[in-house]
């Protein structure tokens, strides 16, 4: 994880690459988790616009996977960040 080395941009890139690779292999739940973690990292770095986008991606992926409870939880989290 790039965060362990203080490289948050690297962490962002790694999460994004992971999400894309998981999606390409049809591991929807892994892609969703990678986007959710990416959003968390971006919010920690006060990159709210990018974080919201990553959360929306996670929301869509969890929805595609059929994880309704997770979709509801992420929607609540997203609402906290949308102004």
């Amino acid at each position: 994880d790039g965060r362990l080395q203080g490289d948050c941009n690297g962490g962002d890139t790694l999460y994004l690459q992971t999400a894309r690779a998981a999606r390409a292999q049809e591991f929807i739940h892994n892609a969703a988790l990678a986007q959710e973690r990416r959003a968390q990292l971006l919010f920690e770095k006060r990159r709210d616009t990018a974080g919201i986008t990553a959360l929306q991606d996670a929301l869509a992926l969890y929805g595609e996977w059929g994880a309704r409870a997770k979709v509801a939880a992420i929607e609540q989290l997203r609402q906290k960040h949308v102004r």
Side-chain angles (χ1 to χ4, degrees), residues 7-76:
D7 180 10
C8 293
N9 289 331
D12 176 26
T13 300
L14 290 174
Y15 281 130
L16 186 56
Q17 289 173 348
T18 300
R20 288 179 178 163
R23 180 74 173 126
Q25 295 297 315
E26 299 183 12
F27 294 116
I28 305 303
H29 59 295
N30 290 338
L33 180 59
Q35 286 289 14
E36 183 181 2
R37 298 287 295 157
R38 179 174 172 246
Q40 183 180 26
L41 172 70
L42 292 166
F43 289 134
E44 287 172 8
K45 291 296 159 188
R46 300 184 188 268
R47 294 181 53 202
D48 290 351
T49 302
I52 290 168
T53 299
L55 264 188
Q56 289 171 325
D57 291 344
L59 187 68
L61 289 161
Y62 279 126
E64 185 178 336
W65 190 45
R68 290 185 299 255
K70 191 66 172 178
V71 167
I74 294 220
E75 180 59 34
Q76 286 182 346

